[in-house]
Amino acid sequence: MGESLNEPPPTDSDFGAGARMSLRSELDATQHSAVDEHWAGGVQPQYGVAPRIRIGQNKWFNLLWLIPIGLLLLIVGVAVAQGIRELPTVQAFMQRYPGESQLLPGAPVGFPAWVGWQHFLNMFFMIFIIRSGITILADHPRLYWTRHATPGKDWLRVQKPVPATPLYTAKQDSITLPDGVGLPGRRHSIGLARWWHLGIDTLWLANGLVFYVLLFTTGQWMRLVPLRWDIFPNAVSVAIQYLSLQWPTESGWNNYNSLQLLAYFITVFIAPPVALLTGMGMSPALSTRFRWVNRFFSIQVARSLHFLVLCWFLLFIVIHVTLVVTTGALRNLNHMYASQNTSSWTGFWIFAASMVVIILGWVAATPFTYRHPRAVQRVGFALVGPAQRLLEHVDSKPGEYTEKDISPYFWHNGNYPDSANYKQLQANGFVDYKLAVGGLVENPVELSLDKLRALPYHEQITQHFCIQGWSGVAKWGGVSMQTILDIVRPKPEAKWVVFYSFANGPEGGLYYDAHAIGQMSYHLTMLAYDMNGAPLSFGHGAPLRLRNEVELGFKMVKWIQAIEFVESFAGIGGGLGGYNNDHEFFGYRQSI
Ligand SMILES: Nc1nc2c(c(=O)[nH]1)N[C@H]1C(S)=C(S)[C@@H](COP(=O)(O)O)O[C@H]1N2
Ligand SMILES: [Mo]
């Protein structure tokens, strides 16, 4: 990219203090502090449909059918297992592989108290993680296997097919959950759900790390890791025993049966790392930086796998709880809650007390979130903010995606502009449009589209990551932000760059967003007036929009009317660095 300018910087007029103040006065300055009926512009609840999986091109299988089909398969499975159990070869096999796992010599017997604590904390954290995860899914209730989010190409949806309505937005596609299921349940509450999800994740991962360390320093790991090949035939044997309804004798105090060991191994050592990696696979900053990984492991593959990890955990929880209850509940509860191998009621009462804590947490979480959203935002940011800030320092280069990666469908999102001012500019093909750039700069300017087009052309093919979960690759053409910086020359005090839209946000007041000035000179930060080789359309932000590829989509203001360099965003709008932060409790940095 040549950054040299072949014409002197245009300076026909100033975006002076008065103009900036009048723009600021068009922002909504309310300090929103609760989630109520005005939420997200008074968006009406909209429930989804029963989950459906796509079969072939366009046939959809309703997953509710799995209930009768599963029951039928279970009955058939029981009959088959009972039948084959009578066969001499199967009997010989089961004699040879009775199902118990053989532990290494020196493996510990019984459970120390820390296992009980870790188990409780893990359960406690997972409730919030799972519920908020479901709310995040509900914000774009579709899953895909390619990096595109093409309607009709989803492999799973919990929503009707995408309507053909022009300018249908991803926000319109989001669905409501019952408040006791989602965390929170309200439609498009993803901002708050993410603080829960990512914040508690850090605690869950820390707990897991402590668990790993303790497992390996105490030898307890030997009870969980398949160390001998015969664990697999033994697991088959256990499966036949369960299915034929002649269950193996339990001796979990000493060691687990082989199937149990495999299930625990997956749950402790496979599922959590996969959850972490697939979670990070959805980060724009990471995906843009590690593009070779992202080629195979795109955000949508990551999101789909992340969902399948959830399915594993849910399946595990259901089977685990069922078996704990049906295979000597009191003894099992004593193992985990009282570190003793008896059939007394001690473990049960400790378990019951822990359930009271869990149920209280479960019931209180959503109402608490609606009443104290700023507290949820603050705590969440304290927990995950450091990781988000770290990832913002990746200055990726363009070039990984090519024309053939461009998405056939690019979702629309957000609130469209409808001011008279904008409509008039639009009606005249934006010939009267002027981008005002001012604030803490040496050389404030107003740039017409012609002047913008006369500046060095910058083009990039990049992937857009909407916070809701959809993605799309497009080719953006326009002006590098570096070029704008070279023209206006920010003063040293300038720390933030505020982009003002012509459009209001859903609750009124202009849409705006503040970006750290450091990111403005990144290779992939630009003002786009072209998309996929054509002038930017109305829906995608005509005449000008921002691209900053280390952040989530909501920060990329469309229909830009002005750019202001400031020292702090505290006095702008609600003071939190962006419309979504002020109104929907998003964060001002969202690289994950
Ligand atoms: N002015 C304005 N800009 C906006 C929004 C908005 O509501 N108003 N929505 C944001 C969100 S949430 C996303 S994901 C992208 C969507 O851009 P697209 O419609 O081109 O896909 O625009 C962002 N820019
Ligand atoms: Mo978005």
Side-chain angles (χ1 to χ4, degrees):
M1 232 73 36
E3 311 285 49
S4 72
L5 304 173
N6 31 21
E7 63 166 339
T11 50
D12 28 325
S13 79
D14 188 338
F15 173 38
R20 295 202 306 278
M21 282 307 145
S22 101
L23 203 50
R24 285 194 191 189
S25 74
E26 289 182 58
L27 305 180
D28 170 32
T30 319
Q31 291 277 338
H32 296 262
S33 60
V35 175
D36 52 24
E37 65 278 9
H38 305 298
W39 173 247
V43 65
Q44 292 304 304
Q46 165 179 246
Y47 287 87
V49 300
R52 275 142 230 259
I53 285 191
R54 183 164 55 88
I55 314 222
Q57 282 302 307
N58 51 14
K59 295 228 168 12
W60 291 89
F61 173 77
N62 185 331
L63 285 186
L64 288 183
W65 281 107
L66 283 186
I67 297 170
I69 292 174
L71 266 168
L72 202 71
L73 284 180
L74 200 62
I75 293 168
V76 172
V78 169
V80 169
Q82 286 182 339
I84 63 169
R85 231 187 137 142
E86 302 303 315
L87 302 176
T89 41
V90 175
Q91 280 182 345
F93 169 78
M94 297 195 29
Q95 214 129 54
R96 184 140 173 240
Y97 301 108
E100 242 185 67
S101 57
Q102 304 291 314
L103 294 187
L104 289 187
V109 169
F111 302 94
W114 60 261
V115 172
W117 276 105
Q118 294 267 320
H119 180 259
F120 165 74
L121 285 174
N122 181 67
M123 185 181 354
F124 189 67
F125 293 149
M126 282 200 78
I127 281 166
F128 303 116
I129 294 175
I130 289 177
R131 288 180 55 201
S132 54
I134 295 173
T135 296
I136 293 171
L137 177 68
D139 222 43
H140 187 68
R142 308 175 187 278
L143 293 171
Y144 317 84
W145 285 120
T146 71
R147 72 178 62 258
H148 313 297
T150 314
K153 296 284 191 241
D154 26 3
W155 67 267
L156 180 126
R157 60 173 162 86
V158 197
Q159 173 58 297
K160 296 190 232 13
V162 176
T165 332
L167 299 178
Y168 180 70
T169 64
K171 277 182 193 154
Q172 287 175 282
D173 207 48
S174 66
I175 60 173
T176 309
L177 294 169
D179 274 346
V181 177
L183 175 52
R186 210 171 278 233
R187 190 164 163 217
H188 193 49
S189 54
I190 188 167
L192 289 162
R194 280 171 51 103
W195 293 125
W196 276 104
H197 198 72
L198 300 177
I200 302 283
D201 265 353
T202 59
L203 301 179
W204 182 68
L205 289 170
N207 185 59
L209 215 58
V210 173
F211 188 52
Y212 281 6
V213 169
L214 288 171
L215 282 180
F216 285 104
T217 51
T218 60
Q220 285 284 338
W221 66 276
M222 284 184 252
R223 304 170 52 112
L224 296 173
V225 179
L227 294 165
R228 297 162 48 113
W229 283 111
D230 65 4
I231 201 115
F232 297 102
N234 271 307
V236 173
S237 166
V238 175
I240 296 174
Q241 294 173 56
Y242 277 128
L243 257 186
S244 61
L245 305 182
Q246 293 179 342
W247 289 10
T249 16
E250 292 303 326
S251 58
W253 186 255
N254 304 310
N255 61 348
Y256 297 128
N257 75 49
S258 295
L259 193 58
Q260 194 177 11
L261 187 149
L262 283 180
Y264 289 177
F265 176 72
I266 295 173
T267 304
V268 172
F269 290 110
I270 310 270
V274 174
L276 175 63
L277 287 174
T278 53
M280 303 216 298
M282 290 183 260
S283 148
L286 277 174
S287 295
T288 308
R289 176 66 188 76
F290 298 105
R291 283 161 292 169
W292 53 274
V293 183
N294 173 36
R295 278 208 88 74
F296 309 97
F297 186 63
S298 75
I299 168 187
Q300 298 307 340
V301 172
R303 193 167 182 258
S304 291
L305 293 177
H306 202 70
F307 172 77
L308 292 180
V309 177
L310 164 70
C311 294
W312 167 264
F313 277 125
L314 291 179
L315 185 75
F316 175 82
I317 291 167
V318 169
I319 296 178
H320 177 62
V321 171
T322 308
L323 289 179
V324 165
V325 173
T326 51
T327 60
L330 287 182
R331 189 173 289 271
N332 287 335
L333 290 174
N334 269 329
H335 290 175
M336 201 41 62
Y337 288 87
S339 306
Q340 52 175 266
N341 190 22
T342 69
S343 298
S344 72
W345 284 81
T346 318
F348 172 82
W349 288 118
I350 302 172
F351 162 76
S354 85
M355 284 316 282
V356 170
V357 174
I358 284 183
I359 291 168
L360 284 179
W362 186 310
V363 171
T366 290
F368 178 87
T369 305
Y370 292 152
R371 224 161 296 143
H372 306 286
R374 291 291 173 212
V376 170
Q377 185 189 34
R378 250 194 309 278
V379 175
F381 186 73
L383 289 167
V384 76
Q388 291 185 326
R389 281 197 290 279
L390 197 70
L391 294 179
E392 281 186 330
H393 299 290
V394 291
D395 175 12
S396 299
K397 309 281 183 291
E400 183 70 9
Y401 297 111
T402 59
E403 304 263 343
K404 66 175 188 342
D405 298 314
I406 291 174
S407 297
Y409 183 92
F410 202 100
W411 281 78
H412 285 109
N413 219 357
N415 248 49
Y416 297 107
D418 63 357
S419 66
N421 177 17
Y422 177 84
K423 283 191 174 141
Q424 179 151 17
L425 290 172
Q426 187 191 22
N428 291 335
F430 298 107
V431 289
D432 303 320
Y433 171 78
K434 291 245 165 58
L435 168 70
V437 190
L440 297 174
V441 297
E442 305 287 347
N443 181 36
V445 289
E446 291 204 337
L447 301 167
S448 67
L449 261 190
D450 277 350
K451 282 194 172 138
L452 282 165
R453 286 190 184 274
L455 293 172
Y457 193 62
H458 173 98
E459 192 172 84
Q460 64 193 31
I461 301 178
T462 48
Q463 180 168 338
H464 180 95
F465 295 73
C466 173
I467 194 168
Q468 296 185 263
W470 60 271
S471 57
V473 177
K475 179 166 78 177
W476 303 100
V479 184
S480 168
M481 260 317 276
Q482 181 63 55
T483 305
I484 304 291
L485 296 181
D486 291 344
I487 295 172
V488 299
R489 298 192 305 277
K491 296 182 178 164
E493 315 89 89
K495 298 281 182 302
W496 294 91
V497 185
V498 183
F499 294 80
Y500 296 92
S501 179
F502 282 111
N504 277 349
E507 294 180 89
L510 288 184
Y511 193 94
Y512 78 98
D513 201 272
H515 289 249
I517 197 162
Q519 294 174 25
M520 294 299 101
S521 44
Y522 284 2
H523 281 79
L524 299 182
T525 304
M526 67 176 293
L527 298 173
Y529 49 70
D530 285 342
M531 180 184 184
N532 296 335
L536 197 60
S537 66
F538 164 72
H540 291 300
L544 199 67
R545 72 172 301 163
L546 176 65
R547 300 298 311 165
N548 173 357
E549 310 294 355
V550 299
E551 302 284 357
L552 287 170
F554 72 86
K555 292 191 66 80
M556 300 187 211
V557 176
K558 302 193 285 187
W559 312 288
I560 298 175
Q561 63 166 312
I563 304 175
E564 183 182 9
F565 288 72
V566 297
E567 189 170 354
S568 148
F569 52 68
I572 298 175
L576 295 168
Y579 193 90
N580 292 287
N581 322 2
D582 294 343
H583 291 256
E584 293 177 7
F585 309 99
F586 288 18
Y588 67 94
R589 351 184 56 131
Q590 300 258 268
S591 59
I592 304 180

